[in-house]
Amino acid sequence: MRGRSEPASGLLPPWRPGGRGEHSYEDRAFSMMNSKDLVLQKSKTDQIGHHVVNVSSGKHYFSGYCAAITNVAVTFPLQKVLFRQQLYGVRTRDAVRQLQKDGLRNLYRGILPPLMQKSTTLALMFGLYEDFSSVLLSHVSTPELLTRSVAAVLAGTTEAVLTPFERVQVLLQDYKYHDKFTNTFQAFRVLREHGIREYYRGFVPILLRNGPSNALFFGLRGPIKQCLPEATTYRTHLINDFICGGLLGAMLGFLFFPLNVVKARMQSQIGGEFQSFSKVFMKIWLERDRKVTQLFRGAHLNYHRSLISWGIINATYEFLLKLL
């Protein structure tokens, strides 16, 4: 037998000066204090980390929002000319004459929906892309290129929730409805009479456009910029960002142009049958004599508008990120 009884399991031995119990008690107390300190430090570190992530993602949302407002204000008249060509298949000269006939008063008619839609869409596009990328990269072990592509598609899909703004923009830009709607809110009220589904006409082509175009934009933006001369000043950085965004926007705008043609036709209707994407596409295809060139009528103007538009967006976005 042992000369003294051992304490019960899990209980601290009584304190004895100079004995083994004193050493054990101090060690355990010191260990518990260290554990508490580590927990507190970890909690503070996590809070700081979450704060940094929130601030970082907030920069992307805000920069995208401001870039969109700048772009819409500059390029809206060009967008109206392009829209007339997409909807009616007319030449650039005829579309410009239509706008001249409408008068200066109607030149910026319908700007509120794209201003609201574009500012929110681009804020979501850049912000959600960064957020989805951060989440996926920290939880998924797939290659970074694939992960970021998925993040871009998810961001584009989320943007499609704002389809009602594009829907109203189409109606306000169509001269057939000039006498029916005097402002954006009146157009929203008219659509409401036909049910919530009416707001989402043209949803399918928007989904088909947003996801893939986002993936290509974010995937190619870096490589294209690397091919440009090295920037050493703010001015040269701004020029490179403009060129990079402009080239990408022009290319993607041309590539997805037929989707926008179908979208414009679908969204120019109020009430009636909800026709499928394929049915509307075939109707346009037959109307334009089954010619690809007729399907891309207005694409050259869209190319130049996108070159300017996405150049402004990308340059403004990157510039604001550096400032914030």
Side-chain angles (χ1 to χ4, degrees), residues 32 37 41 53 89 105 122 132 140 144 147 175 209 243 266 276-277 292 304 322 324:
M32 290 174 65
D37 288 342
Q41 288 177 5
V53 170
R105 181 181 178 182
L122 284 179
F132 282 135
V140 181
E144 183 176 351
T147 303
Y175 73 89
R209 177 197 67 191
I243 294 172
M266 294 174 76
S276 66
F277 172 82
V292 176
H304 293 98
K322 293 180 178 69
L324 297 176

Side-chain angles (χ1 to χ4, degrees), residues 205 253-263 277 281 284 295-296:
F254 184 84
L255 183 63
F256 292 97
F257 188 81
L259 289 176
N260 284 326
V261 172
V262 177
K263 178 190 78 74
F277 172 82
F281 176 81
I284 296 172
L295 195 61
F296 278 85

Side-chain angles (χ1 to χ4, degrees), residues 71-108:
N71 165 57
V72 171
V74 173
T75 63
F76 186 74
L78 282 175
Q79 173 61 31
K80 291 197 77 168
V81 173
L82 172 64
F83 168 77
R84 298 288 175 89
Q85 292 188 281
Q86 287 178 337
L87 187 58
Y88 302 114
V90 298
R91 298 179 182 278
T92 304
R93 183 185 304 171
D94 296 328
V96 172
R97 284 175 179 170
Q98 285 184 8
L99 291 183
Q100 289 176 338
K101 187 177 179 181
D102 292 342
L104 186 63
R105 181 181 178 182
N106 289 316
L107 182 61
Y108 276 88

Side-chain angles (χ1 to χ4, degrees), residues 126 217 220-222 224-225 228 237-253 303 305-316 318:
F126 287 106
F217 178 80
L220 296 175
R221 192 170 55 150
I224 289 178
K225 191 172 181 180
L228 299 174
H237 271 294
L238 202 63
I239 293 172
N240 281 2
D241 289 329
F242 183 90
I243 294 172
C244 175
L247 288 176
L248 267 175
M251 180 191 73
L252 296 176
Y303 178 89
R305 183 195 64 83
S306 297
L307 188 68
I308 299 170
S309 178
W310 280 98
I312 293 172
I313 289 170
N314 197 53
T316 306
E318 294 292 345

Side-chain angles (χ1 to χ4, degrees), residues 23-38:
H23 179 72
S24 175
Y25 181 83
E26 289 178 350
D27 285 348
R28 294 189 186 187
F30 183 73
S31 176
M32 290 174 65
M33 290 175 64
N34 280 343
S35 298
K36 289 181 179 179
D37 288 342
L38 288 173

Side-chain angles (χ1 to χ4, degrees), residues 22 42 109 124 128 145 172 191-192 232 242 248 253 260 294:
E22 176 187 10
K42 186 177 185 302
R109 173 186 165 90
L124 291 176
L128 287 178
L145 179 61
L172 289 174
L191 291 178
R192 187 175 60 186
T232 55
F242 183 90
L248 267 175
N260 284 326
Q294 294 290 328

Side-chain angles (χ1 to χ4, degrees), residues 126-155:
F126 287 106
L128 287 178
Y129 169 71
E130 293 297 330
D131 286 344
F132 282 135
S133 294
S134 299
V135 172
L136 292 175
L137 287 172
S138 61
H139 291 86
V140 181
S141 58
T142 54
E144 183 176 351
L145 179 61
L146 177 60
T147 303
R148 290 192 176 276
S149 296
V150 171
V153 172
L154 289 174

